[in-house]
Amino acid sequence: MEHPENDKQYSGLTVNSGVAQPPSVNPYAVRRRRKPLPTPGELVEGILRGDVTMLSRAVTLVESLNPDHQAIAQEVIEKCLPHSGRSRRIGITGVPGAGKSTSIDVFGLHVLRGGGKLAVLAIDPSSERTKGSILGDKTRMEKLAVHPDAFIRPSPSAGSLGGVARKTRETIILCEAAGFNNIFVETVGVGQSETAVHSMVDFFLLIQLAGTGDELQGIKRGIMEMADGIVINKADGDNIPRAQLAQAQFRNALHLFPPTASGWVPEVLTYSGYYEIGIPEVWDMIDRYFAFAHRNGYFEKRRLEQSRYWMYETINETLRTKFYNDPDVHDLLVDNERRVLDNRLSSFVAARNVLEFYFNKEK
Ligand code: GDP
């Protein structure tokens, strides 16, 4: 380095060249560079090749809230759509402890013995609160987790139930394009999420338990009405007579329900997931259903109805998000809400105030 102040004319001022200082950043700490995002074309090509890494990366983008990721995801979904649809989509629900993960493990292996591939997805409305999904977790399905033809993905965690469900539906499309011809969608049988799952599967299986004394209580009627098959798990050991009793009770209860839209009469079977008893019988029932629904055209009809449902769901969700994320709307909502709570304004007038403001602003 040149130091003009070292010139003879400034003899009183000399600057030593000094010792090179070590860099302030540890040179051994290699800065981790983010993997560059694959392009939509690369993702689609990978998915169609059945590359599970590319499938996972695409699903991550589907689940992301980042608008750039969403844009890529939507392009990938659109390109995968023509390659989707050729699978059996089966919804599986049951209260916690009913034996969903144990059963999915053995049902999954049973299906895979017949060839093909299986994707296990989940919709878990509680995951937003617990910051992690309990459903679709690999550790709960030990055998499937190490099976080369199985793909397990936990529930997306961000957003409303509608949003989470839509992401799962989009993930189904990607999985099908990647050659997964069996899709299981798992959910906890306790609330709203069944409706969401029902609206994206061809067959809805309800796992029940016997031996609680009041089998038919606490089961939401709506869930039973949605079921295409009811299976009573843990029919093993001492529990067999109770499982059979529950089977009879469920069969009787189903008689009281109106006929299903498909014309299919839901069947009630007993089995044991843990001891692997009665698994082929459960699967025979599902095979019979698919044969029935293909024959009478209901399979196609249900899928078209689901497409319509998701069209409106997407519109509703988009409108709602846009509306509530508008900062001006937010301020106006706070103000109107306060006036409603102070009894100074009726709820209808308050709602109209905010909606009118929003739609006039949009013009
Ligand atoms: P999930 O919460 O619905 O996923 O239920 P799990 O699959 O985790 O099962 C809950 C508990 O029931 C576990 O302790 C299982 O070992 C047990 N279990 C599951 N299936 C059976 C079965 O067929 N028979 C018996 N006896 N126990 C079972």
Side-chain angles (χ1 to χ4, degrees), residues 94-103 135 140 186 233-236 239 271-276:
V95 294
K100 290 180 297 300
S101 32
T102 315
S103 307
L135 293 183
R140 292 165 63 246
E186 180 188 12
N233 189 19
K234 309 194 189 182
D236 44 55
N239 209 24
Y271 78 106
S272 166
Y274 190 82
Y275 294 99
E276 303 191 23

Side-chain angles (χ1 to χ4, degrees), residues 105-115 279-281 283-284 287:
D105 217 20
V106 294
F107 288 152
L109 287 183
H110 179 81
V111 167
L112 288 173
R113 260 179 235 124
I279 310 299
E281 287 77 1
W283 231 255
D284 283 350
D287 285 342

